[in-house]
Amino acid sequence: MQDIPPAFEGLRRKLRAALTGPHILAFLPAVVLGAFWFGGEGWLLAVSLGLPVLYALAGGFSQTISYRPGDAAPRLPDLLRENLAEAQSKDQRMACFLLALDDFDKLLDHHGQGVAQQICERQVGRIGSALRPGDYVLQRPGGEFAVVLAPVRHFSLETAIQLARRLQRAVEEPIAVDASNVYVSCAVGFVLDRQINKPDAETLLNAAEAALDEALLNGPSAIRAYSAGMKAAHISRSELARDAEEGLETGAFQPWFQPQISTDTGEVTGFEALARWTHPRRGMVPPSEFLPLLKHHGMMERLGEVMLTRSLLALSRWDEAGFNVPQIGVNFASDELRNPKLADRIGWELDRLNLPPERLAIEVLETVVSAAPNDMIARNINALSQMGCSIDLDDFGTGHASIASLRRFAVKRIKIDRSFVMKVDSDREQQRIVVAILALAEHLKLDTLAEGVESTGEHAMLAQLGCHHVQGFGIARPMPFEQTLDWIRANDAKRQKTPRIERRIG
C-alpha cells in the first residue's frame, strides 16, 4: 500500500461514507438521467466515467482496508482514537477485535519464519473478506491481528460474537504450503465501546488485550468478550518475571491435568500435566505468555521440578481415591534434559512416593530429539528409558526426527501433532498424513496418541484409522486435580452407555 497523506486519507474516508452506503443507489438513476437531460451525451459520458473513479477513490471496490508489515499503517491507538471520535460524534457504535493464531510458536518451528509470514499475510486478506467496507485489518507481531470496525448505528454483543465466529472460519480455511494443506486456528478477544464507561483508545486496547489473554488461556479457537471482571492492568515483563520467580516458590504454579483416553474402550489411559499460573493480580496468565518469560529468565528447570513433584503426587492421590490412572505425562524442556542429575532426581521422587517408573511418561518435543546430538540430553533420555519410564515423542511431525532417532531415544509412543488432527474427518489429505504416521508407528511397534482432538468427528475418524489414544478439548479441557475425580467418575458412567467405534479395515 502506498504512503497516503493524512489529509487525503481523511478525504477518502468522507468520500467512502458518502459513496459506499446503500442510500447512494437510490440517487444513481436520477444523477445519470439529469446529466443526460441537462448536458446531453457529453455530460452523460462524463458522469458515467467519473462516478466509478470517485467510487474507487472512496474505497468502494475494496472490502476492507488492510495493512501488513512494511505498509504505511496507522498506529492502532491512533486508529481507535479516530474511529471512537467519529462514533461518538454520530452517536454510533464501534468495536476492536484482536486475533491470535493458536500455537504460532509451533508454526514457526515447523515451517520457518518465511512461510509463517506468508501464512500471516494470507490471513490478512481472509480476515478482511469477512468484514464490511471501511473496517480496518492490521497485522501485529507474533501471529496477531487487529480489527477495528467502522462506526455503525447498531452493534450488539450477539452480533460481535457472530462476527468473531465468522473471522475464525475465515482463518481456519486450509492454506497450501509445500504441496500440502496447513490448518491453523485462532483465538479472538474483543471489546465494544459501550462496555467501557468512559472509553478512550488506551482503555479499549487494554480491554481487547485482556479479552484475548482470556481467550488464549481457554483456547484453541476460544472467543472471549471483555468484561469488567477481567484484569486489564498492564504489568511490565521485568515485574512479571519477579512475580513468576516468587510464584514458583509459593505454589502459584500448579499442574492442570488433561485426560487421555483409549479410542477402543473410552477408558482413561493417562493424564498430561500442563503448567498453569494463577497470578495474584492478573488471575490466570496464559502459558503462551509465561513460558517464553520463564525460558528467557532461566526458570524452566525450576518449573520442571515443581511440575514433576506435584504430578507424581497427583498419581498417589488418584491411587488413594481408588481410581485407575495408568500414567502421568510430564513435559521436559531441553534445559532440564541437560541436567546431569536429572535421572537421579526423578528416581528419588518415584521412590519417595513408592511409584513404579513405568507410570511416568517423559514427554519430549520432537524438535529436541531431532536436534540433539549424542550429548547429555541423549544420555538422560536413555537413562530414564532404562529405568522404566515411558518416552513420549511430543508434536510428532513437526521436528523431522529420523527413524534412527526414534530407536536411539527408545521412544515408546508418538503424539501426533494437532496440526495433522484438525479437520481429519473431512480432509482427505489430513487423513493420508495420519494414515502414514500410524503405519510407521505400527511397523516400529510404537503406541500412538493424537493431540488436539476437538470434535466427535475427529475422534471417530482417528479411532477408525487405528490411533490408540486421543486427548483434546473435544474430550476434556485441562482441569485442576480436584475436578479430575468427578470427571473420571462421569467418564466411567458415560462409557458404559457408549457403543465402541470399530476400526477401519485395510
Side-chain angles (χ1 to χ4, degrees):
M1 179 174 290
Q2 299 295 320
D3 194 354
I4 300 172
F8 184 79
E9 176 64 22
L11 176 61
R12 191 173 75 166
R13 295 194 69 182
K14 290 182 175 62
L15 279 170
R16 183 186 306 114
L19 294 176
T20 62
H23 58 273
I24 192 64
L25 298 176
F27 293 98
L28 281 177
V31 171
V32 174
L33 183 60
F36 179 70
W37 183 264
F38 291 106
E41 293 182 357
W43 276 99
L44 177 61
L45 183 62
V47 170
S48 299
L49 294 175
L51 279 177
V53 172
L54 287 174
Y55 192 76
L57 288 173
F61 293 118
S62 61
Q63 186 75 0
T64 56
I65 304 174
S66 303
Y67 292 96
R68 299 173 175 85
D71 290 342
R75 293 177 62 251
L76 181 55
D78 293 339
L79 193 56
L80 288 169
R81 191 175 297 111
E82 182 180 348
N83 277 34
L84 185 60
E86 182 179 344
Q88 291 173 341
S89 67
K90 298 178 179 178
D91 192 24
Q92 293 181 331
R93 303 268 67 93
M94 59 86 62
C96 177
F97 288 69
L98 295 181
L99 293 75
L101 298 184
D102 296 315
D103 300 325
F104 185 69
D105 54 341
K106 295 181 182 178
L107 188 70
L108 282 172
D109 290 341
H110 189 193
H111 296 288
Q113 179 67 44
V115 172
Q117 180 56 36
Q118 291 177 25
I119 290 174
C120 288
E121 290 180 0
R122 291 278 298 278
Q123 296 296 0
V124 170
R126 291 181 172 187
I127 293 169
S129 69
L131 300 172
R132 306 164 302 148
D135 296 337
Y136 280 78
V137 182
L138 291 85
Q139 183 180 339
R140 306 178 81 197
E144 292 190 10
F145 308 87
V147 170
V148 180
L149 298 188
V152 64
R153 185 158 300 279
H154 300 291
F155 194 73
S156 65
L157 182 61
E158 181 181 356
T159 304
I161 294 172
Q162 291 173 355
L163 174 58
R165 289 176 179 150
R166 191 159 70 244
L167 294 173
Q168 285 186 328
R169 287 195 295 270
V171 167
E172 290 173 358
E173 287 295 315
I175 297 176
V177 174
D178 297 331
S180 64
N181 287 337
V182 174
Y183 284 92
V184 295
S185 60
C186 71
V188 181
F190 67 86
V191 60
L192 312 184
D193 60 342
R194 63 181 173 81
Q195 292 179 291
I196 308 295
N197 186 23
K198 294 182 178 180
D200 56 36
E202 183 178 359
T203 55
L204 278 174
L205 184 54
N206 284 343
E209 289 178 340
L212 180 61
D213 284 348
E214 187 74 14
L216 287 169
L217 183 65
N218 291 276
S221 300
I223 298 172
R224 289 295 182 273
Y226 173 74
S227 65
M230 291 181 179
K231 306 292 185 180
H234 173 72
I235 298 178
S236 69
R237 288 185 66 84
S238 58
E239 182 181 356
L240 201 60
R242 290 193 297 271
D243 292 344
E245 186 174 13
E246 180 180 351
L248 287 168
E249 305 305 323
T250 59
F253 286 86
Q254 292 283 343
W256 283 28
F257 304 97
Q258 187 170 39
Q260 301 164 339
I261 66 172
S262 166
T263 56
D264 188 30
T265 66
E267 291 179 290
V268 173
T269 56
F271 280 86
E272 180 180 1
L274 299 164
R276 293 293 183 264
W277 180 18
T278 306
H279 191 276
R281 296 186 301 283
R282 290 187 58 182
M284 297 297 290
V285 180
S288 59
E289 185 174 348
F290 72 73
L291 289 176
L293 182 79
L294 296 182
K295 185 173 183 179
H296 179 74
H297 290 275
M299 291 185 274
M300 288 298 292
E301 190 170 357
R302 177 57 184 145
L303 175 65
E305 293 174 358
V306 170
M307 291 293 292
L308 176 67
T309 299
R310 290 177 179 155
S311 297
L312 293 181
L313 182 60
L315 266 182
S316 293
R317 293 174 66 187
W318 282 318
D319 290 346
E320 292 171 0
F323 292 110
N324 177 31
V325 178
Q327 68 175 15
I328 186 79
V330 180
N331 295 276
F332 284 78
S334 55
D335 291 350
E336 299 172 80
L337 293 170
R338 290 192 182 96
N339 184 346
K341 297 183 179 179
L342 177 65
D344 291 338
R345 179 168 65 83
I346 291 177
W348 182 85
E349 291 280 6
L350 289 167
D351 289 342
R352 181 174 68 88
L353 295 170
N354 196 29
L355 293 170
E358 57 267 21
R359 296 190 66 189
L360 173 63
I362 310 293
E363 300 206 3
V364 185
L365 289 173
E366 187 189 10
T367 49
V368 173
V369 169
S370 60
N374 291 309
D375 61 359
M376 183 55 66
I377 290 179
R379 289 197 292 273
N380 269 334
I381 293 176
N382 285 322
L384 292 168
S385 177
Q386 292 171 10
M387 185 190 300
C389 297
S390 174
I391 307 299
D392 283 8
L393 193 59
D394 204 0
D395 296 345
F396 186 78
T398 65
H400 310 293
S402 66
I403 294 176
S405 296
L406 298 177
R407 287 305 185 202
R408 182 161 63 92
F409 289 95
V411 172
K412 296 287 182 64
R413 180 167 68 175
I414 55 177
K415 300 184 71 177
I416 304 171
D417 186 67
R418 175 175 172 267
S419 62
F420 303 122
V421 171
M422 288 180 65
K423 313 292 185 182
V424 71
D425 55 329
S426 58
D427 188 323
R428 295 290 295 176
E429 182 65 26
Q430 293 286 84
Q431 291 173 22
R432 283 191 286 268
I433 292 172
V434 171
V435 166
I437 294 173
L438 294 174
L440 172 66
E442 183 178 3
H443 286 299
L444 296 178
K445 295 181 172 55
L446 300 176
D447 204 4
T448 53
L449 182 147
E451 300 180 283
V453 176
E454 294 189 10
S455 70
T456 303
E458 291 171 354
H459 184 179
M461 178 57 68
L462 289 162
Q464 291 179 47
L465 295 178
C467 186
H468 302 138
H469 312 270
V470 289
Q471 75 175 87
F473 283 19
I475 287 85
R477 293 175 177 268
M479 63 192 84
F481 175 83
E482 291 72 18
Q483 293 181 19
T484 63
L485 305 179
D486 289 337
W487 189 90
I488 295 172
R489 292 189 189 97
N491 183 70
D492 287 343
K494 181 177 68 174
R495 70 185 183 85
Q496 301 299 331
K497 305 174 183 178
T498 303
R500 291 177 57 175
I501 300 172
E502 297 299 329
R503 299 190 186 280
R504 178 177 292 179
I505 305 299

Short mmCIF file of all heavy atoms in Angstrom, two decimals, residues 427-475:
data_model
loop_
_atom_site.label_atom_id
_atom_site.label_comp_id
_atom_site.label_asym_id
_atom_site.label_seq_id
_atom_site.Cartn_x
_atom_site.Cartn_y
_atom_site.Cartn_z
N ASP A 427 -11.00 -33.80 5.66
CA ASP A 427 -9.94 -33.50 4.69
C ASP A 427 -9.18 -34.78 4.36
O ASP A 427 -8.52 -35.36 5.23
CB ASP A 427 -9.00 -32.45 5.28
CG ASP A 427 -7.98 -31.95 4.27
OD1 ASP A 427 -7.49 -32.74 3.45
OD2 ASP A 427 -7.66 -30.75 4.29
N ARG A 428 -9.26 -35.21 3.12
CA ARG A 428 -8.60 -36.46 2.70
C ARG A 428 -7.09 -36.35 2.83
O ARG A 428 -6.43 -37.35 3.14
CB ARG A 428 -8.97 -36.78 1.26
CG ARG A 428 -10.46 -37.07 1.04
CD ARG A 428 -10.87 -38.39 1.64
NE ARG A 428 -10.22 -39.53 1.01
CZ ARG A 428 -10.35 -40.78 1.41
NH1 ARG A 428 -11.10 -41.06 2.46
NH2 ARG A 428 -9.74 -41.76 0.77
N GLU A 429 -6.54 -35.18 2.59
CA GLU A 429 -5.09 -35.01 2.72
C GLU A 429 -4.64 -35.23 4.16
O GLU A 429 -3.63 -35.89 4.42
CB GLU A 429 -4.68 -33.61 2.24
CG GLU A 429 -3.19 -33.34 2.29
CD GLU A 429 -2.38 -34.20 1.33
OE1 GLU A 429 -2.94 -34.64 0.30
OE2 GLU A 429 -1.19 -34.44 1.62
N GLN A 430 -5.40 -34.68 5.12
CA GLN A 430 -5.09 -34.90 6.53
C GLN A 430 -5.17 -36.38 6.87
O GLN A 430 -4.33 -36.91 7.61
CB GLN A 430 -6.07 -34.11 7.41
CG GLN A 430 -5.93 -32.60 7.32
CD GLN A 430 -4.69 -32.08 8.03
OE1 GLN A 430 -3.60 -32.07 7.46
NE2 GLN A 430 -4.85 -31.66 9.26
N GLN A 431 -6.17 -37.05 6.34
CA GLN A 431 -6.31 -38.49 6.60
C GLN A 431 -5.11 -39.27 6.08
O GLN A 431 -4.61 -40.17 6.76
CB GLN A 431 -7.60 -39.01 5.96
CG GLN A 431 -8.87 -38.50 6.61
CD GLN A 431 -10.11 -38.91 5.85
OE1 GLN A 431 -10.11 -39.89 5.10
NE2 GLN A 431 -11.21 -38.15 6.04
N ARG A 432 -4.63 -38.92 4.89
CA ARG A 432 -3.47 -39.63 4.33
C ARG A 432 -2.23 -39.43 5.19
O ARG A 432 -1.44 -40.37 5.39
CB ARG A 432 -3.22 -39.16 2.90
CG ARG A 432 -4.19 -39.74 1.88
CD ARG A 432 -3.74 -39.47 0.45
NE ARG A 432 -3.95 -38.09 0.09
CZ ARG A 432 -5.06 -37.63 -0.50
NH1 ARG A 432 -6.06 -38.47 -0.76
NH2 ARG A 432 -5.19 -36.36 -0.82
N ILE A 433 -2.05 -38.21 5.71
CA ILE A 433 -0.89 -37.95 6.57
C ILE A 433 -0.98 -38.79 7.84
O ILE A 433 0.00 -39.43 8.26
CB ILE A 433 -0.81 -36.46 6.91
CG1 ILE A 433 -0.47 -35.65 5.65
CG2 ILE A 433 0.25 -36.22 7.98
CD1 ILE A 433 -0.55 -34.15 5.86
N VAL A 434 -2.16 -38.80 8.47
CA VAL A 434 -2.33 -39.56 9.71
C VAL A 434 -2.15 -41.06 9.45
O VAL A 434 -1.51 -41.77 10.24
CB VAL A 434 -3.70 -39.27 10.34
CG1 VAL A 434 -3.98 -40.21 11.51
CG2 VAL A 434 -3.77 -37.82 10.82
N VAL A 435 -2.68 -41.55 8.34
CA VAL A 435 -2.53 -42.97 8.00
C VAL A 435 -1.04 -43.31 7.86
O VAL A 435 -0.57 -44.36 8.32
CB VAL A 435 -3.29 -43.30 6.70
CG1 VAL A 435 -2.86 -44.66 6.15
CG2 VAL A 435 -4.80 -43.31 6.97
N ALA A 436 -0.27 -42.43 7.22
CA ALA A 436 1.16 -42.68 7.05
C ALA A 436 1.88 -42.73 8.39
O ALA A 436 2.74 -43.59 8.62
CB ALA A 436 1.77 -41.59 6.15
N ILE A 437 1.52 -41.80 9.30
CA ILE A 437 2.14 -41.79 10.63
C ILE A 437 1.78 -43.07 11.40
O ILE A 437 2.64 -43.70 12.03
CB ILE A 437 1.70 -40.54 11.41
CG1 ILE A 437 2.25 -39.27 10.75
CG2 ILE A 437 2.18 -40.62 12.86
CD1 ILE A 437 1.73 -37.98 11.35
N LEU A 438 0.52 -43.46 11.33
CA LEU A 438 0.08 -44.66 12.05
C LEU A 438 0.74 -45.92 11.48
O LEU A 438 1.08 -46.85 12.23
CB LEU A 438 -1.44 -44.79 11.99
CG LEU A 438 -2.22 -43.69 12.73
CD1 LEU A 438 -3.72 -43.85 12.48
CD2 LEU A 438 -1.93 -43.73 14.23
N ALA A 439 0.92 -45.95 10.15
CA ALA A 439 1.59 -47.10 9.54
C ALA A 439 3.04 -47.19 10.00
O ALA A 439 3.55 -48.28 10.31
CB ALA A 439 1.52 -47.00 8.01
N LEU A 440 3.72 -46.05 10.05
CA LEU A 440 5.11 -46.03 10.55
C LEU A 440 5.15 -46.54 11.99
O LEU A 440 6.01 -47.37 12.34
CB LEU A 440 5.66 -44.61 10.47
CG LEU A 440 7.02 -44.37 11.12
CD1 LEU A 440 8.12 -45.14 10.39
CD2 LEU A 440 7.35 -42.87 11.17
N ALA A 441 4.23 -46.04 12.83
CA ALA A 441 4.21 -46.45 14.24
C ALA A 441 3.95 -47.95 14.38
O ALA A 441 4.57 -48.63 15.21
CB ALA A 441 3.15 -45.66 14.99
N GLU A 442 3.05 -48.46 13.54
CA GLU A 442 2.74 -49.90 13.61
C GLU A 442 3.96 -50.74 13.26
O GLU A 442 4.26 -51.73 13.93
CB GLU A 442 1.58 -50.22 12.68
CG GLU A 442 1.14 -51.68 12.74
CD GLU A 442 -0.04 -51.96 11.85
OE1 GLU A 442 -0.50 -51.05 11.13
OE2 GLU A 442 -0.51 -53.12 11.86
N HIS A 443 4.68 -50.35 12.20
CA HIS A 443 5.85 -51.12 11.80
C HIS A 443 6.96 -51.06 12.85
O HIS A 443 7.72 -52.02 13.00
CB HIS A 443 6.38 -50.61 10.46
CG HIS A 443 5.52 -51.01 9.28
ND1 HIS A 443 5.30 -52.33 8.94
CD2 HIS A 443 4.83 -50.28 8.38
CE1 HIS A 443 4.51 -52.39 7.88
NE2 HIS A 443 4.21 -51.15 7.52
N LEU A 444 7.04 -49.92 13.56
CA LEU A 444 8.08 -49.77 14.59
C LEU A 444 7.58 -50.21 15.96
O LEU A 444 8.30 -50.06 16.95
CB LEU A 444 8.54 -48.31 14.65
CG LEU A 444 9.22 -47.77 13.39
CD1 LEU A 444 9.58 -46.29 13.56
CD2 LEU A 444 10.48 -48.58 13.06
N LYS A 445 6.34 -50.72 16.01
CA LYS A 445 5.74 -51.19 17.28
C LYS A 445 5.68 -50.08 18.33
O LYS A 445 6.05 -50.27 19.49
CB LYS A 445 6.49 -52.42 17.81
CG LYS A 445 6.37 -53.64 16.89
CD LYS A 445 7.10 -54.83 17.47
CE LYS A 445 6.82 -56.09 16.66
NZ LYS A 445 7.12 -55.97 15.22
N LEU A 446 5.22 -48.90 17.89
CA LEU A 446 5.10 -47.75 18.79
C LEU A 446 3.62 -47.48 19.07
O LEU A 446 2.77 -47.65 18.20
CB LEU A 446 5.72 -46.50 18.16
CG LEU A 446 7.21 -46.55 17.82
CD1 LEU A 446 7.64 -45.26 17.13
CD2 LEU A 446 8.03 -46.77 19.09
N ASP A 447 3.34 -47.06 20.28
CA ASP A 447 2.00 -46.64 20.65
C ASP A 447 1.73 -45.26 20.03
O ASP A 447 2.67 -44.52 19.72
CB ASP A 447 1.88 -46.57 22.17
CG ASP A 447 0.45 -46.72 22.65
OD1 ASP A 447 -0.43 -46.94 21.82
OD2 ASP A 447 0.23 -46.59 23.88
N THR A 448 0.46 -44.89 19.87
CA THR A 448 0.11 -43.61 19.24
C THR A 448 -0.96 -42.88 20.03
O THR A 448 -1.88 -43.50 20.59
CB THR A 448 -0.39 -43.82 17.79
OG1 THR A 448 -1.46 -44.78 17.79
CG2 THR A 448 0.73 -44.29 16.88
N LEU A 449 -0.83 -41.55 20.04
CA LEU A 449 -1.82 -40.69 20.68
C LEU A 449 -1.98 -39.44 19.82
O LEU A 449 -0.99 -38.85 19.39
CB LEU A 449 -1.38 -40.30 22.10
CG LEU A 449 -2.35 -39.44 22.91
CD1 LEU A 449 -2.24 -39.78 24.40
CD2 LEU A 449 -2.09 -37.93 22.73
N ALA A 450 -3.21 -39.04 19.56
CA ALA A 450 -3.48 -37.83 18.77
C ALA A 450 -3.84 -36.69 19.71
O ALA A 450 -4.70 -36.82 20.58
CB ALA A 450 -4.62 -38.08 17.79
N GLU A 451 -3.16 -35.56 19.52
CA GLU A 451 -3.40 -34.37 20.35
C GLU A 451 -4.38 -33.43 19.66
O GLU A 451 -4.53 -33.44 18.45
CB GLU A 451 -2.09 -33.61 20.56
CG GLU A 451 -1.00 -34.40 21.26
CD GLU A 451 0.25 -33.57 21.43
OE1 GLU A 451 0.99 -33.37 20.45
OE2 GLU A 451 0.49 -33.11 22.56
N GLY A 452 -5.03 -32.59 20.46
CA GLY A 452 -5.85 -31.53 19.91
C GLY A 452 -7.15 -31.98 19.28
O GLY A 452 -7.66 -31.33 18.37
N VAL A 453 -7.71 -33.08 19.73
CA VAL A 453 -8.99 -33.56 19.19
C VAL A 453 -10.11 -32.67 19.73
O VAL A 453 -10.29 -32.55 20.94
CB VAL A 453 -9.24 -35.02 19.60
CG1 VAL A 453 -10.60 -35.49 19.11
CG2 VAL A 453 -8.13 -35.91 19.05
N GLU A 454 -10.84 -32.04 18.82
CA GLU A 454 -11.82 -31.05 19.25
C GLU A 454 -13.26 -31.41 18.89
O GLU A 454 -14.18 -30.72 19.31
CB GLU A 454 -11.49 -29.68 18.65
CG GLU A 454 -10.19 -29.09 19.17
CD GLU A 454 -9.98 -27.66 18.72
OE1 GLU A 454 -10.93 -27.07 18.18
OE2 GLU A 454 -8.87 -27.14 18.91
N SER A 455 -13.46 -32.44 18.10
CA SER A 455 -14.83 -32.77 17.69
C SER A 455 -15.06 -34.27 17.73
O SER A 455 -14.11 -35.07 17.68
CB SER A 455 -15.10 -32.24 16.27
OG SER A 455 -14.37 -32.99 15.31
N THR A 456 -16.33 -34.63 17.77
CA THR A 456 -16.70 -36.05 17.74
C THR A 456 -16.27 -36.69 16.43
O THR A 456 -15.84 -37.85 16.40
CB THR A 456 -18.22 -36.20 17.92
OG1 THR A 456 -18.61 -35.57 19.15
CG2 THR A 456 -18.63 -37.66 17.94
N GLY A 457 -16.37 -35.93 15.33
CA GLY A 457 -15.95 -36.46 14.03
C GLY A 457 -14.48 -36.79 13.98
O GLY A 457 -14.08 -37.84 13.44
N GLU A 458 -13.63 -35.90 14.51
CA GLU A 458 -12.19 -36.17 14.55
C GLU A 458 -11.90 -37.39 15.41
O GLU A 458 -11.08 -38.24 15.04
CB GLU A 458 -11.46 -34.93 15.09
CG GLU A 458 -11.47 -33.75 14.14
CD GLU A 458 -10.93 -32.48 14.77
OE1 GLU A 458 -10.64 -32.49 15.99
OE2 GLU A 458 -10.81 -31.48 14.05
N HIS A 459 -12.56 -37.48 16.57
CA HIS A 459 -12.38 -38.61 17.47
C HIS A 459 -12.74 -39.92 16.76
O HIS A 459 -11.98 -40.90 16.77
CB HIS A 459 -13.25 -38.41 18.71
CG HIS A 459 -13.08 -39.45 19.76
ND1 HIS A 459 -13.76 -39.42 20.96
CD2 HIS A 459 -12.33 -40.59 19.81
CE1 HIS A 459 -13.43 -40.47 21.70
NE2 HIS A 459 -12.56 -41.19 21.01
N ALA A 460 -13.90 -39.94 16.11
CA ALA A 460 -14.35 -41.16 15.44
C ALA A 460 -13.42 -41.55 14.30
O ALA A 460 -13.10 -42.73 14.13
CB ALA A 460 -15.78 -40.96 14.92
N MET A 461 -12.98 -40.58 13.50
CA MET A 461 -12.10 -40.90 12.38
C MET A 461 -10.77 -41.44 12.87
O MET A 461 -10.23 -42.42 12.31
CB MET A 461 -11.89 -39.65 11.52
CG MET A 461 -10.93 -39.86 10.34
SD MET A 461 -11.44 -41.19 9.22
CE MET A 461 -12.92 -40.47 8.51
N LEU A 462 -10.20 -40.85 13.91
CA LEU A 462 -8.92 -41.33 14.44
C LEU A 462 -9.06 -42.76 14.97
O LEU A 462 -8.14 -43.58 14.81
CB LEU A 462 -8.43 -40.39 15.54
CG LEU A 462 -7.95 -39.02 15.06
CD1 LEU A 462 -7.90 -38.03 16.21
CD2 LEU A 462 -6.58 -39.14 14.39
N ALA A 463 -10.19 -43.05 15.59
CA ALA A 463 -10.43 -44.41 16.07
C ALA A 463 -10.50 -45.39 14.89
O ALA A 463 -9.90 -46.47 14.93
CB ALA A 463 -11.72 -44.46 16.88
N GLN A 464 -11.19 -45.00 13.84
CA GLN A 464 -11.30 -45.87 12.67
C GLN A 464 -9.95 -46.09 11.99
O GLN A 464 -9.68 -47.18 11.48
CB GLN A 464 -12.29 -45.27 11.66
CG GLN A 464 -13.74 -45.28 12.14
CD GLN A 464 -14.66 -44.64 11.12
OE1 GLN A 464 -14.58 -44.95 9.94
NE2 GLN A 464 -15.53 -43.76 11.56
N LEU A 465 -9.13 -45.07 11.97
CA LEU A 465 -7.83 -45.19 11.32
C LEU A 465 -6.84 -46.01 12.14
O LEU A 465 -5.81 -46.42 11.62
CB LEU A 465 -7.25 -43.80 11.05
CG LEU A 465 -8.02 -42.93 10.04
CD1 LEU A 465 -7.35 -41.56 9.92
CD2 LEU A 465 -8.10 -43.61 8.69
N GLY A 466 -7.15 -46.23 13.43
CA GLY A 466 -6.30 -47.09 14.24
C GLY A 466 -5.41 -46.38 15.24
O GLY A 466 -4.50 -47.00 15.81
N CYS A 467 -5.67 -45.08 15.51
CA CYS A 467 -4.91 -44.38 16.56
C CYS A 467 -5.37 -44.92 17.92
O CYS A 467 -6.56 -45.09 18.17
CB CYS A 467 -5.15 -42.88 16.46
SG CYS A 467 -4.16 -41.90 17.59
N HIS A 468 -4.42 -45.18 18.81
CA HIS A 468 -4.74 -45.87 20.07
C HIS A 468 -5.36 -44.97 21.14
O HIS A 468 -6.24 -45.41 21.89
CB HIS A 468 -3.48 -46.52 20.64
CG HIS A 468 -2.82 -47.48 19.70
ND1 HIS A 468 -1.46 -47.56 19.51
CD2 HIS A 468 -3.36 -48.39 18.86
CE1 HIS A 468 -1.18 -48.49 18.62
NE2 HIS A 468 -2.32 -49.00 18.20
N HIS A 469 -4.88 -43.74 21.22
CA HIS A 469 -5.33 -42.84 22.29
C HIS A 469 -5.58 -41.46 21.72
O HIS A 469 -4.99 -41.06 20.71
CB HIS A 469 -4.27 -42.72 23.40
CG HIS A 469 -3.72 -44.03 23.86
ND1 HIS A 469 -4.27 -44.76 24.89
CD2 HIS A 469 -2.65 -44.75 23.41
CE1 HIS A 469 -3.56 -45.87 25.06
NE2 HIS A 469 -2.58 -45.89 24.17
N VAL A 470 -6.44 -40.68 22.40
CA VAL A 470 -6.73 -39.30 21.99
C VAL A 470 -6.80 -38.41 23.22
O VAL A 470 -7.12 -38.86 24.32
CB VAL A 470 -8.06 -39.19 21.19
CG1 VAL A 470 -7.93 -39.80 19.81
CG2 VAL A 470 -9.21 -39.82 21.96
N GLN A 471 -6.49 -37.13 22.99
CA GLN A 471 -6.71 -36.12 24.01
C GLN A 471 -7.01 -34.81 23.30
O GLN A 471 -6.66 -34.62 22.14
CB GLN A 471 -5.51 -35.96 24.96
CG GLN A 471 -4.32 -35.22 24.36
CD GLN A 471 -3.21 -34.99 25.38
OE1 GLN A 471 -2.35 -35.85 25.56
NE2 GLN A 471 -3.20 -33.83 26.00
N GLY A 472 -7.68 -33.91 24.00
CA GLY A 472 -8.01 -32.62 23.40
C GLY A 472 -9.27 -32.05 24.02
O GLY A 472 -9.94 -32.69 24.85
N PHE A 473 -9.62 -30.85 23.60
CA PHE A 473 -10.77 -30.16 24.17
C PHE A 473 -12.07 -30.90 23.87
O PHE A 473 -13.07 -30.72 24.57
CB PHE A 473 -10.85 -28.73 23.64
CG PHE A 473 -9.87 -27.79 24.30
CD1 PHE A 473 -8.77 -28.27 24.98
CD2 PHE A 473 -10.06 -26.43 24.24
CE1 PHE A 473 -7.87 -27.42 25.59
CE2 PHE A 473 -9.17 -25.56 24.84
CZ PHE A 473 -8.08 -26.06 25.51
N GLY A 474 -12.10 -31.71 22.79
CA GLY A 474 -13.28 -32.49 22.49
C GLY A 474 -13.53 -33.59 23.50
O GLY A 474 -14.64 -34.12 23.60
N ILE A 475 -12.48 -33.97 24.25
CA ILE A 475 -12.62 -34.97 25.32
C ILE A 475 -12.78 -34.24 26.65
O ILE A 475 -13.74 -34.45 27.39
CB ILE A 475 -11.42 -35.93 25.36
CG1 ILE A 475 -11.50 -36.92 24.19
CG2 ILE A 475 -11.41 -36.75 26.63
CD1 ILE A 475 -10.94 -36.44 22.91
#
